Amino acid sequence: MIEFKNVCKTFRGPEGPVDALRDFSVTIEAGEFVVARGPSGSGKSTMLLVAGALLRPTSGNLTLGGQDPYALSPAKRGAVRAAQIGFVFQQFHLIPYLSVRDNILAPAVALPNPEAGARADELIDRFGLRERAQHLPAQLSTGERQRTALARAMLNQPKILLADEPTGNLDEDNGQVVVDHLAEFVSEGGTVLMVTHEQTGISHADRILRIEGGKLVSDDATTPHA
Amino acid sequence: MRLWRMLFREACHRRLTFAAGVLCAAVAVASLIAALVALAYHDAETQAVLERKAEETDQLLRQLREEMRKTTLKLSFNAIILPENQSLRDWHMQDYADEYMPEDYVMKLADSGIVTVRHFLPVLQRKVKWPERKQSIILVGTRGEVPNMHKSPKAPLVQPVPDGTIVLGHELHQRLGLKTGDEVVFMGQTFGVHRCHGERGTKDDITAWIPLKAAQELLDKRGKINAILALECLCVGAEGLARVRRDIMGVLPGTQVIEHGTKVIARAEARFRVGREAQEAYEQAEKERAEARARQERLAAVSVPLILAVCVLSMALLSYSNVRDRRNEMGILKALGYGTGTILLLVLTRALLTGCFGALIGTAGGATVARWLITRDPTAGLSVTLFPDARTAAAGVLVSLLLALVAAWIPALLASRTDPADILMRE
């Protein structure tokens, strides 16, 4: 499903090139919940952006469902993102002037779908946001914001969810709710690649990747979750 | 969700910057519309002024042409037949003869068969005192022209004065407070005022015309006249007068014939001068209007582009500021799959929306400003409509949209090139 093959990513830093990913190879199968861990600056987020077709690797290959998104034009790559990938970020990145419902519907502009409205209402109910549907992000709690972001990520029924520290700004209870929703997505056949340095989510993970200095240092399968 | 909803929500969210953008577009459009409306008004007023002037000039020229037709019909000239013993020196000095000849002479001429003169006009003219009004006037007794019997009758050149009436020159009726229809006593005899002439600027202004017979009785010159005007003498050129003189003196040996052209030419020149002055006045008005328009055009040519430039720059800065504030948002939208075209559309459509609102407000504002400027001029004679014509309004809308697009183009490109990875890496 997601395959990194000898992926390297180098940035130009003020003190010379910085290798964020070095010869990184891993394969994540469809329906897996994979957690990537590692210290700050280890390359986790870079790996996530490469997987999300947002950051072209310096060398090596990435394939999503057997297709190299970086071989596509930017417009087609955008279409692939809109159709196949959902993003959840630590900072939520909701559009400040759109209501909860409109934020959830935002991906529908990139991928028009006549059933988007019904899908958004379904997600609103599923994530317990009915009372907040017409509220602006600034009027929401952090947990509600992240649930809104998660609902937005799921609007186009993607195959993959990429989550970058999705519980980083949440208390334990809200963090658990988010992870539970990610797990539910996996149980419905989706694939989750979550970057975190917390313990939250470990219990649901199929595999835990350990990344240090841009390299995959371990890839451990966990006990199958219930 | 549609793009429009996003645009509307964003405009409401950043209503101040959106309003500032609309204001800039409105000012730009208003300056253009005001200039166009003012120029259009000036053109309309120029047309009205020149049409009025042209009509006045045409009317004057038509009147002058008619007078000239009467005076110099068929390029003929007039001569005057005086008694043989009349001193020409005295005649020139006082403009009338103090010697007399029988009134029958005119009939002799008319019956003579001479072909060089078309009409004869017997007159009895003298400077007299109007005893009842204590005024010195020139009295002219006339019976109207006598057509040459060998010629086909034509429209009379000089209208006879009806019996029992008097025709008064401008100065006379003005000074004496008389008008057509009044009755007046002249030298003991009552006359009805038949006509009051307008000002001619000649001796005619102090002249009173009465029927020849009445004049003969009042001046005690029954059957006498002191001049015959030979009108429309047809022999033009250097030999003209000699030929006429020969013909007339062949019939009336006891007379002398002189050309009566000086006065005619002087009148003609005066009339031509008036006509020329009227034409010059028209041309002057035309020139002044053209100069005023050129001044307005120059002012508009400097001020409007300057205002447009300031407005487009302000709009560009506002647009750039908006895009910079929304950099994260643009990055996230691209991460969600929004293409470069969609981001461009998002920014440019917002600019077009700004331009549309600006065009509406600016068109009304510009027309109001133009109306205010025009009505400040007390000489403005035309009514000003509140709204400009469709072409001007369309030009305003077009310019507004164009300016908005130009202003937002670079910010839109910058927004469309936002790298989502760059935004997300900064978390």
Side-chain angles (χ1 to χ4, degrees):
Chain A
M1 183 67 193
I2 306 172
E3 186 177 9
F4 291 82
K5 199 179 280 178
N6 307 115
V7 169
C8 293
K9 180 66 192 177
T10 306
F11 294 105
R12 272 180 294 178
E15 293 168 3
V18 177
D19 294 324
L21 284 179
R22 289 190 289 181
D23 201 23
F24 188 88
S25 296
V26 73
T27 300
I28 299 167
E29 298 297 337
E32 276 192 307
F33 190 134
V34 177
V35 171
R37 304 189 70 195
S40 184
S42 59
K44 305 186 298 289
S45 293
T46 303
M47 183 262 302
L48 206 68
L49 292 174
V50 171
L54 290 169
L55 190 63
R56 183 185 292 275
T58 309
S59 64
N61 282 100
L62 171 96
T63 54
L64 298 173
Q67 184 183 39
D68 180 358
Y70 297 104
L72 302 172
S73 68
K76 284 185 179 166
R77 199 157 61 239
V80 165
R81 271 201 305 274
Q84 297 186 22
I85 306 172
F87 290 95
V88 184
F89 309 100
Q90 183 179 358
Q91 300 296 338
F92 324 126
H93 289 305
L94 297 174
I95 311 296
Y97 51 83
L98 295 180
S99 66
V100 165
R101 188 173 189 277
D102 286 342
N103 259 293
I104 294 170
L105 278 168
V109 174
L111 192 72
N113 175 6
E115 290 170 6
R119 169 76 177 154
D121 289 331
E122 179 197 324
L123 289 168
I124 284 169
D125 290 334
R126 181 169 161 185
F127 287 95
L129 294 165
R130 176 53 58 199
E131 300 296 315
R132 299 295 200 174
Q134 298 308 319
H135 285 66
L136 293 175
Q139 298 167 316
L140 305 177
S141 68
T142 50
E144 287 167 337
R145 287 181 203 179
Q146 194 59 297
R147 277 183 276 148
T148 305
L150 198 52
R152 179 180 69 183
M154 291 183 177
L155 181 83
N156 288 337
Q157 296 177 300
K159 295 174 182 165
I160 304 166
L161 271 185
L162 302 175
D164 191 357
E165 307 275 10
T167 58
N169 277 341
L170 305 179
D171 58 38
E172 198 175 330
D173 290 345
N174 275 309
Q176 194 55 54
V177 168
V178 168
V179 170
D180 287 347
H181 281 302
L182 291 175
E184 193 180 336
F185 173 73
V186 171
S187 70
E188 290 167 357
T191 306
V192 170
L193 174 56
M194 182 173 83
V195 163
T196 183
H197 59 266
E198 294 173 339
Q199 291 298 318
T200 320
I202 298 291
S203 60
H204 291 286
D206 295 312
R207 287 160 63 193
I208 298 173
L209 309 178
R210 177 111 192 137
I211 303 170
E212 283 179 18
K215 295 195 80 165
L216 180 66
V217 294
S218 68
D219 179 356
D220 300 326
T222 61
T223 312
H225 54 80
Chain B
M1 190 181 58
R2 290 173 190 274
L3 203 65
W4 281 112
R5 189 172 172 85
M6 272 185 99
L7 281 170
F8 177 72
R9 294 285 181 200
E10 196 277 329
C12 290
H13 182 69
R14 296 186 176 88
R15 60 181 76 86
L16 275 180
T17 51
F18 186 78
V22 170
L23 183 69
C24 287
V27 169
V29 173
S31 70
L32 181 74
I33 293 287
L36 290 177
V37 167
L39 283 173
Y41 175 81
H42 187 276
D43 289 346
E45 196 181 48
T46 297
Q47 195 180 350
V49 165
L50 293 182
E51 274 175 5
R52 199 168 56 238
K53 281 257 178 214
E55 199 176 327
E56 285 170 8
T57 306
D58 276 356
Q59 197 175 351
L60 186 62
L61 290 175
R62 269 200 308 274
Q63 191 181 333
L64 294 178
R65 273 197 295 274
E66 181 60 17
E67 287 182 17
M68 286 307 297
R69 186 189 71 80
K70 287 182 178 175
T71 312
T72 59
L73 195 63
K74 293 183 180 175
L75 288 177
S76 62
F77 66 94
N78 300 331
I80 190 160
I81 304 164
L82 299 170
E84 186 181 30
N85 51 352
Q86 172 63 46
S87 156
L88 287 181
R89 181 177 172 277
D90 292 346
W91 185 82
H92 282 301
M93 291 286 282
Q94 58 197 21
D95 212 23
Y96 67 88
D98 44 16
E99 296 295 335
Y100 300 90
M101 55 190 167
E103 187 185 343
D104 293 347
Y105 275 19
V106 74
M107 295 312 295
K108 273 190 184 175
L109 281 170
D111 295 339
S112 65
I114 62 173
V115 295
T116 49
V117 182
R118 192 179 290 271
H119 297 275
F120 300 102
L121 182 69
V123 292
L124 177 61
Q125 180 174 347
R126 192 193 281 182
K127 191 182 287 178
V128 297
K129 193 90 174 173
W130 188 339
E132 291 82 0
R133 302 283 182 155
K134 298 186 174 25
Q135 296 278 325
S136 288
I137 66 164
I138 295 170
L139 178 68
V140 177
T142 179
R143 53 175 275 195
E145 76 275 23
V146 179
N148 187 329
M149 297 306 174
H150 294 269
K151 300 290 172 191
S152 57
K154 293 278 179 183
L157 291 177
V158 178
Q159 293 295 340
V161 183
D163 286 341
T165 64
I166 188 167
V167 173
L168 298 171
H170 180 74
E171 172 72 14
L172 285 182
H173 69 76
Q174 285 291 312
R175 180 172 292 193
L176 301 176
L178 295 171
K179 57 184 187 303
T180 303
D182 286 351
E183 288 212 331
V184 65
V185 177
F186 177 69
M187 295 177 81
Q189 196 166 326
T190 302
F191 293 90
V193 177
H194 176 62
R195 187 185 301 160
C196 293
H197 281 315
E199 188 171 6
R200 292 176 175 175
T202 66
K203 286 176 183 171
D204 286 356
D205 290 344
I206 55 162
T207 299
W209 291 266
I210 60 174
L212 180 60
K213 198 165 280 304
Q216 286 168 336
E217 283 174 9
L218 290 174
L219 299 176
D220 197 21
K221 294 291 179 190
R222 285 179 185 77
K224 299 285 187 186
I225 55 175
N226 57 1
I228 299 169
L229 296 176
L231 305 174
E232 295 184 34
C233 303
L234 297 178
C235 299
V236 294
E239 292 298 311
L241 180 63
R243 171 82 192 277
V244 170
R245 187 176 280 159
R246 209 164 43 241
D247 285 354
I248 291 173
M249 291 181 67
V251 180
L252 301 173
T255 57
Q256 54 184 327
V257 179
I258 60 172
E259 188 178 358
H260 192 44
T262 312
K263 190 187 283 185
V264 172
I265 290 165
R267 281 183 182 175
E269 283 179 349
R271 283 159 188 159
F272 278 130
R273 195 163 53 245
V274 172
R276 205 165 48 240
E277 281 168 3
Q279 187 65 34
E280 282 171 2
Y282 175 84
E283 287 167 3
Q284 181 65 23
E286 199 175 32
K287 192 177 159 194
E288 281 169 5
R289 299 295 304 181
E291 282 172 356
R293 194 188 201 281
R295 273 198 304 277
Q296 274 193 18
E297 267 182 10
R298 278 198 299 275
L299 181 67
V302 173
S303 60
V304 172
L306 193 69
I307 293 171
L308 293 189
V310 170
C311 289
V312 80
L313 195 66
S314 306
M315 288 161 75
L317 287 173
L318 284 166
S319 185
Y320 175 71
S321 159
N322 177 264
V323 162
R324 198 185 54 187
D325 287 351
R326 297 170 67 191
R327 196 157 176 269
N328 275 6
E329 177 192 329
M330 297 299 174
I332 298 308
L333 292 178
K334 286 194 87 171
L336 294 178
Y338 283 50
T340 301
T342 310
I343 300 291
L344 270 176
L345 198 66
L346 203 60
V347 178
L348 292 179
T349 310
R350 183 187 192 274
L352 287 176
L353 206 60
T354 307
C356 277
F357 282 116
L360 284 177
I361 297 169
T363 302
T368 307
V369 168
R371 185 189 171 87
W372 177 72
L373 287 173
I374 290 164
T375 49
R376 276 180 68 208
D377 178 4
T379 61
L382 295 181
S383 59
V384 192
T385 53
L386 184 60
F387 291 102
D389 60 68
R391 260 180 70 183
T392 308
V397 172
L398 206 65
V399 165
S400 181
L401 296 181
L402 207 63
L403 288 183
L405 278 181
V406 167
W409 190 253
I410 291 175
L413 282 179
L414 291 175
S416 71
R417 287 175 187 171
T418 305
D419 183 357
D422 186 36
I423 302 296
L424 296 171
M425 294 278 277
R426 283 193 281 123
E427 269 197 0

